[in-house]
Amino acid sequence: MASVMDVGSQREAQPTAITALPPPADPAPLGLAAFALTTFLLSAKNAGWTNGTDAWLGYALAYGGLCQLLAGMWEFRNRNVFGSTAFSTYGGFWIGLGIYVLVVIPADKATPAQIDNDLAWILLAFLLFNTYMLLWSLFVNKAVFAVFLTLEITEVLLVIGNFEAQTNIVKAGGIVGVITAVVAWYTSSAGVINGMTGRVLAPVGKPMLQ
């Protein structure tokens, strides 16, 4: 029958070699959105704006942590060393912070003073990382630089506030953290619409250094 493939021809057919993989979608908008939302939730709590529980915690593990880590892994596929390093590191940050709150604090029966000290040292370590990523973001674009600049200020305030147990400084860090989240959301949205249309509808600026 005409609709039946010839068995002999089927045996002789050779598999088609895959010469190149199609280019992947840009994972950066996902990574930035995951970072923005989780940063927003925690920063709103630090600023003293919320009256609920630790709503940020689940999203630190699932969205800011896992999704951002995945975005970092996909940036390796894109051969983007900056994006893969940034997203993977901050994905690990959120997962680690979530584990610290859920596991370490209850297990050690940590006091508020010990928690403040722990958070200060954790944030100081990530501040050191963020400082050189801030410098290298000068080679990316102005929007990404703005994300790392506002995050740098946030981390400086939170480090000082937690070391000195100064609630007002922590609140200031929370407010700047909300600004950081807004900047990251804008950068994410720009990546989405510019990638969809293939043209610049939401500008992110040129690299400040080349």
Side-chain angles (χ1 to χ4, degrees):
M1 296 177 62
S3 61
V4 179
M5 293 179 61
D6 179 73
V7 176
S9 298
Q10 190 177 23
R11 289 175 179 172
E12 292 175 2
Q14 298 296 321
T16 302
I18 299 176
T19 57
L21 291 174
D26 184 7
L30 170 62
L32 285 162
F35 169 80
L37 186 140
T38 317
T39 300
F40 175 80
L41 290 177
L42 179 55
S43 295
K45 182 176 179 61
N46 285 336
W49 295 351
T50 65
N51 296 315
T53 60
D54 287 325
W56 63 273
L57 189 52
Y59 295 91
L61 294 170
Y63 196 36
L66 179 59
C67 288
Q68 196 173 181
L69 180 61
L70 288 172
M73 296 300 103
W74 291 322
E75 284 285 28
F76 280 110
R77 168 68 176 83
N78 277 346
R79 302 184 64 83
N80 182 346
V81 66
F82 183 91
S84 59
T85 302
F87 291 136
S88 301
T89 297
Y90 277 107
F93 165 79
W94 286 114
I95 294 172
L97 186 61
I99 292 173
Y100 170 75
V101 173
L102 290 172
V103 178
V104 177
I105 292 177
D108 291 346
K109 298 180 180 178
T111 65
Q114 289 174 322
I115 295 172
D116 287 345
N117 187 260
D118 287 345
L119 291 175
W121 282 103
I122 292 169
L123 290 165
L124 177 60
F126 277 92
L127 174 61
L128 297 175
F129 166 79
N130 196 80
T131 299
Y132 69 77
M133 293 300 283
L134 170 64
L135 295 175
W136 307 155
S137 68
L138 291 167
F139 294 87
V140 183
N141 58 54
K142 291 180 180 178
V144 171
F145 174 78
V147 172
F148 279 90
L149 177 61
T150 51
L151 180 57
E152 183 88 355
I153 299 170
T154 300
E155 291 177 343
V156 168
L157 291 171
L158 292 178
V159 167
I160 296 172
N162 281 286
F163 267 133
E164 301 296 329
Q166 293 291 326
T167 303
N168 289 336
I169 299 179
V170 172
K171 286 183 177 181
I175 294 171
V176 181
V178 170
I179 296 172
T180 303
V182 172
V183 175
W185 262 321
Y186 170 80
T187 309
S188 170
S189 69
V192 173
I193 190 60
N194 294 345
M196 289 172 59
T197 61
R199 55 197 177 98
V200 178
L201 291 180
V204 293
K206 296 180 179 180
M208 300 170 73
L209 292 177
Q210 293 185 6

PDB file of all heavy atoms in Angstrom, residues 140-160:
ATOM      1  N   VAL A 140      29.016  45.062  31.290  1.00  0.00           N
ATOM      2  CA  VAL A 140      27.770  44.431  30.816  1.00  0.00           C
ATOM      3  C   VAL A 140      26.839  45.502  30.256  1.00  0.00           C
ATOM      4  O   VAL A 140      26.784  45.708  29.054  1.00  0.00           O
ATOM      5  CB  VAL A 140      27.099  43.633  31.951  1.00  0.00           C
ATOM      6  CG1 VAL A 140      25.846  42.915  31.430  1.00  0.00           C
ATOM      7  CG2 VAL A 140      28.070  42.611  32.544  1.00  0.00           C
ATOM      8  N   ASN A 141      26.088  46.171  31.108  1.00  0.00           N
ATOM      9  CA  ASN A 141      25.270  47.308  30.687  1.00  0.00           C
ATOM     10  C   ASN A 141      24.874  48.115  31.929  1.00  0.00           C
ATOM     11  O   ASN A 141      25.104  47.688  33.063  1.00  0.00           O
ATOM     12  CB  ASN A 141      24.038  46.884  29.870  1.00  0.00           C
ATOM     13  CG  ASN A 141      23.135  45.938  30.625  1.00  0.00           C
ATOM     14  OD1 ASN A 141      22.701  46.226  31.739  1.00  0.00           O
ATOM     15  ND2 ASN A 141      22.855  44.778  30.027  1.00  0.00           N
ATOM     16  N   LYS A 142      24.276  49.265  31.717  1.00  0.00           N
ATOM     17  CA  LYS A 142      23.971  50.171  32.824  1.00  0.00           C
ATOM     18  C   LYS A 142      22.894  49.604  33.750  1.00  0.00           C
ATOM     19  O   LYS A 142      22.928  49.840  34.960  1.00  0.00           O
ATOM     20  CB  LYS A 142      23.538  51.535  32.278  1.00  0.00           C
ATOM     21  CG  LYS A 142      24.668  52.304  31.607  1.00  0.00           C
ATOM     22  CD  LYS A 142      24.198  53.648  31.077  1.00  0.00           C
ATOM     23  CE  LYS A 142      25.353  54.399  30.414  1.00  0.00           C
ATOM     24  NZ  LYS A 142      24.917  55.701  29.849  1.00  0.00           N
ATOM     25  N   ALA A 143      21.945  48.872  33.203  1.00  0.00           N
ATOM     26  CA  ALA A 143      20.885  48.312  34.037  1.00  0.00           C
ATOM     27  C   ALA A 143      21.441  47.266  34.994  1.00  0.00           C
ATOM     28  O   ALA A 143      21.095  47.252  36.186  1.00  0.00           O
ATOM     29  CB  ALA A 143      19.796  47.701  33.163  1.00  0.00           C
ATOM     30  N   VAL A 144      22.285  46.387  34.494  1.00  0.00           N
ATOM     31  CA  VAL A 144      22.902  45.369  35.353  1.00  0.00           C
ATOM     32  C   VAL A 144      23.810  46.026  36.386  1.00  0.00           C
ATOM     33  O   VAL A 144      23.832  45.628  37.558  1.00  0.00           O
ATOM     34  CB  VAL A 144      23.680  44.340  34.504  1.00  0.00           C
ATOM     35  CG1 VAL A 144      24.501  43.415  35.394  1.00  0.00           C
ATOM     36  CG2 VAL A 144      22.719  43.522  33.650  1.00  0.00           C
ATOM     37  N   PHE A 145      24.532  47.051  35.974  1.00  0.00           N
ATOM     38  CA  PHE A 145      25.361  47.795  36.931  1.00  0.00           C
ATOM     39  C   PHE A 145      24.496  48.391  38.042  1.00  0.00           C
ATOM     40  O   PHE A 145      24.876  48.358  39.219  1.00  0.00           O
ATOM     41  CB  PHE A 145      26.127  48.912  36.212  1.00  0.00           C
ATOM     42  CG  PHE A 145      26.901  49.808  37.149  1.00  0.00           C
ATOM     43  CD1 PHE A 145      28.112  49.394  37.693  1.00  0.00           C
ATOM     44  CD2 PHE A 145      26.412  51.069  37.485  1.00  0.00           C
ATOM     45  CE1 PHE A 145      28.819  50.225  38.567  1.00  0.00           C
ATOM     46  CE2 PHE A 145      27.122  51.897  38.356  1.00  0.00           C
ATOM     47  CZ  PHE A 145      28.324  51.470  38.892  1.00  0.00           C
ATOM     48  N   ALA A 146      23.325  48.919  37.682  1.00  0.00           N
ATOM     49  CA  ALA A 146      22.431  49.512  38.686  1.00  0.00           C
ATOM     50  C   ALA A 146      21.942  48.452  39.674  1.00  0.00           C
ATOM     51  O   ALA A 146      21.788  48.734  40.870  1.00  0.00           O
ATOM     52  CB  ALA A 146      21.247  50.184  38.003  1.00  0.00           C
ATOM     53  N   VAL A 147      21.707  47.233  39.191  1.00  0.00           N
ATOM     54  CA  VAL A 147      21.298  46.144  40.087  1.00  0.00           C
ATOM     55  C   VAL A 147      22.393  45.873  41.121  1.00  0.00           C
ATOM     56  O   VAL A 147      22.124  45.804  42.329  1.00  0.00           O
ATOM     57  CB  VAL A 147      20.995  44.857  39.292  1.00  0.00           C
ATOM     58  CG1 VAL A 147      20.753  43.682  40.250  1.00  0.00           C
ATOM     59  CG2 VAL A 147      19.781  45.045  38.388  1.00  0.00           C
ATOM     60  N   PHE A 148      23.613  45.739  40.655  1.00  0.00           N
ATOM     61  CA  PHE A 148      24.709  45.425  41.573  1.00  0.00           C
ATOM     62  C   PHE A 148      25.068  46.611  42.466  1.00  0.00           C
ATOM     63  O   PHE A 148      25.504  46.415  43.604  1.00  0.00           O
ATOM     64  CB  PHE A 148      25.930  44.937  40.785  1.00  0.00           C
ATOM     65  CG  PHE A 148      25.840  43.499  40.388  1.00  0.00           C
ATOM     66  CD1 PHE A 148      25.260  43.136  39.180  1.00  0.00           C
ATOM     67  CD2 PHE A 148      26.311  42.494  41.217  1.00  0.00           C
ATOM     68  CE1 PHE A 148      25.155  41.798  38.816  1.00  0.00           C
ATOM     69  CE2 PHE A 148      26.207  41.166  40.871  1.00  0.00           C
ATOM     70  CZ  PHE A 148      25.626  40.813  39.664  1.00  0.00           C
ATOM     71  N   LEU A 149      24.875  47.838  41.978  1.00  0.00           N
ATOM     72  CA  LEU A 149      25.170  49.009  42.795  1.00  0.00           C
ATOM     73  C   LEU A 149      24.173  49.125  43.949  1.00  0.00           C
ATOM     74  O   LEU A 149      24.575  49.335  45.110  1.00  0.00           O
ATOM     75  CB  LEU A 149      25.121  50.274  41.939  1.00  0.00           C
ATOM     76  CG  LEU A 149      25.350  51.598  42.686  1.00  0.00           C
ATOM     77  CD1 LEU A 149      26.731  51.619  43.339  1.00  0.00           C
ATOM     78  CD2 LEU A 149      25.183  52.784  41.739  1.00  0.00           C
ATOM     79  N   THR A 150      22.885  49.005  43.656  1.00  0.00           N
ATOM     80  CA  THR A 150      21.888  49.083  44.731  1.00  0.00           C
ATOM     81  C   THR A 150      22.020  47.901  45.684  1.00  0.00           C
ATOM     82  O   THR A 150      21.821  48.052  46.901  1.00  0.00           O
ATOM     83  CB  THR A 150      20.469  49.133  44.142  1.00  0.00           C
ATOM     84  OG1 THR A 150      20.298  48.061  43.199  1.00  0.00           O
ATOM     85  CG2 THR A 150      20.214  50.455  43.442  1.00  0.00           C
ATOM     86  N   LEU A 151      22.381  46.732  45.153  1.00  0.00           N
ATOM     87  CA  LEU A 151      22.599  45.570  46.022  1.00  0.00           C
ATOM     88  C   LEU A 151      23.810  45.786  46.920  1.00  0.00           C
ATOM     89  O   LEU A 151      23.798  45.397  48.094  1.00  0.00           O
ATOM     90  CB  LEU A 151      22.782  44.315  45.171  1.00  0.00           C
ATOM     91  CG  LEU A 151      23.015  43.007  45.931  1.00  0.00           C
ATOM     92  CD1 LEU A 151      21.872  42.725  46.900  1.00  0.00           C
ATOM     93  CD2 LEU A 151      23.193  41.850  44.960  1.00  0.00           C
ATOM     94  N   GLU A 152      24.840  46.427  46.395  1.00  0.00           N
ATOM     95  CA  GLU A 152      26.031  46.733  47.192  1.00  0.00           C
ATOM     96  C   GLU A 152      25.663  47.622  48.393  1.00  0.00           C
ATOM     97  O   GLU A 152      26.073  47.349  49.524  1.00  0.00           O
ATOM     98  CB  GLU A 152      27.069  47.444  46.322  1.00  0.00           C
ATOM     99  CG  GLU A 152      28.385  47.740  47.022  1.00  0.00           C
ATOM    100  CD  GLU A 152      29.390  46.615  46.926  1.00  0.00           C
ATOM    101  OE1 GLU A 152      29.025  45.549  46.392  1.00  0.00           O
ATOM    102  OE2 GLU A 152      30.535  46.794  47.374  1.00  0.00           O
ATOM    103  N   ILE A 153      24.877  48.652  48.135  1.00  0.00           N
ATOM    104  CA  ILE A 153      24.461  49.549  49.215  1.00  0.00           C
ATOM    105  C   ILE A 153      23.600  48.802  50.229  1.00  0.00           C
ATOM    106  O   ILE A 153      23.747  48.970  51.441  1.00  0.00           O
ATOM    107  CB  ILE A 153      23.704  50.759  48.640  1.00  0.00           C
ATOM    108  CG1 ILE A 153      24.608  51.557  47.698  1.00  0.00           C
ATOM    109  CG2 ILE A 153      23.186  51.657  49.758  1.00  0.00           C
ATOM    110  CD1 ILE A 153      23.888  52.627  46.902  1.00  0.00           C
ATOM    111  N   THR A 154      22.711  47.960  49.727  1.00  0.00           N
ATOM    112  CA  THR A 154      21.863  47.156  50.612  1.00  0.00           C
ATOM    113  C   THR A 154      22.700  46.297  51.540  1.00  0.00           C
ATOM    114  O   THR A 154      22.477  46.259  52.765  1.00  0.00           O
ATOM    115  CB  THR A 154      20.936  46.246  49.774  1.00  0.00           C
ATOM    116  OG1 THR A 154      20.110  47.046  48.934  1.00  0.00           O
ATOM    117  CG2 THR A 154      20.062  45.383  50.676  1.00  0.00           C
ATOM    118  N   GLU A 155      23.673  45.607  50.983  1.00  0.00           N
ATOM    119  CA  GLU A 155      24.491  44.691  51.784  1.00  0.00           C
ATOM    120  C   GLU A 155      25.362  45.448  52.781  1.00  0.00           C
ATOM    121  O   GLU A 155      25.548  44.991  53.915  1.00  0.00           O
ATOM    122  CB  GLU A 155      25.342  43.812  50.859  1.00  0.00           C
ATOM    123  CG  GLU A 155      24.504  42.813  50.073  1.00  0.00           C
ATOM    124  CD  GLU A 155      25.306  41.973  49.107  1.00  0.00           C
ATOM    125  OE1 GLU A 155      26.457  42.342  48.779  1.00  0.00           O
ATOM    126  OE2 GLU A 155      24.793  40.938  48.651  1.00  0.00           O
ATOM    127  N   VAL A 156      25.885  46.596  52.385  1.00  0.00           N
ATOM    128  CA  VAL A 156      26.682  47.405  53.320  1.00  0.00           C
ATOM    129  C   VAL A 156      25.831  47.800  54.525  1.00  0.00           C
ATOM    130  O   VAL A 156      26.257  47.666  55.682  1.00  0.00           O
ATOM    131  CB  VAL A 156      27.237  48.669  52.619  1.00  0.00           C
ATOM    132  CG1 VAL A 156      27.795  49.652  53.650  1.00  0.00           C
ATOM    133  CG2 VAL A 156      28.333  48.284  51.629  1.00  0.00           C
ATOM    134  N   LEU A 157      24.625  48.285  54.278  1.00  0.00           N
ATOM    135  CA  LEU A 157      23.746  48.694  55.373  1.00  0.00           C
ATOM    136  C   LEU A 157      23.369  47.516  56.267  1.00  0.00           C
ATOM    137  O   LEU A 157      23.356  47.634  57.498  1.00  0.00           O
ATOM    138  CB  LEU A 157      22.486  49.352  54.810  1.00  0.00           C
ATOM    139  CG  LEU A 157      22.679  50.721  54.153  1.00  0.00           C
ATOM    140  CD1 LEU A 157      21.404  51.161  53.435  1.00  0.00           C
ATOM    141  CD2 LEU A 157      23.095  51.761  55.196  1.00  0.00           C
ATOM    142  N   LEU A 158      23.081  46.371  55.666  1.00  0.00           N
ATOM    143  CA  LEU A 158      22.687  45.207  56.459  1.00  0.00           C
ATOM    144  C   LEU A 158      23.857  44.652  57.264  1.00  0.00           C
ATOM    145  O   LEU A 158      23.672  44.177  58.393  1.00  0.00           O
ATOM    146  CB  LEU A 158      22.104  44.123  55.545  1.00  0.00           C
ATOM    147  CG  LEU A 158      20.761  44.457  54.884  1.00  0.00           C
ATOM    148  CD1 LEU A 158      20.324  43.323  53.963  1.00  0.00           C
ATOM    149  CD2 LEU A 158      19.691  44.741  55.934  1.00  0.00           C
ATOM    150  N   VAL A 159      25.061  44.689  56.687  1.00  0.00           N
ATOM    151  CA  VAL A 159      26.244  44.248  57.438  1.00  0.00           C
ATOM    152  C   VAL A 159      26.443  45.119  58.677  1.00  0.00           C
ATOM    153  O   VAL A 159      26.607  44.619  59.796  1.00  0.00           O
ATOM    154  CB  VAL A 159      27.503  44.267  56.545  1.00  0.00           C
ATOM    155  CG1 VAL A 159      28.767  44.121  57.393  1.00  0.00           C
ATOM    156  CG2 VAL A 159      27.444  43.140  55.522  1.00  0.00           C
ATOM    157  N   ILE A 160      26.414  46.435  58.483  1.00  0.00           N
ATOM    158  CA  ILE A 160      26.594  47.356  59.614  1.00  0.00           C
ATOM    159  C   ILE A 160      25.458  47.196  60.623  1.00  0.00           C
ATOM    160  O   ILE A 160      25.677  47.113  61.833  1.00  0.00           O
ATOM    161  CB  ILE A 160      26.664  48.812  59.119  1.00  0.00           C
ATOM    162  CG1 ILE A 160      27.890  49.019  58.230  1.00  0.00           C
ATOM    163  CG2 ILE A 160      26.686  49.785  60.298  1.00  0.00           C
ATOM    164  CD1 ILE A 160      27.937  50.367  57.538  1.00  0.00           C
TER     165      ILE A 160
END
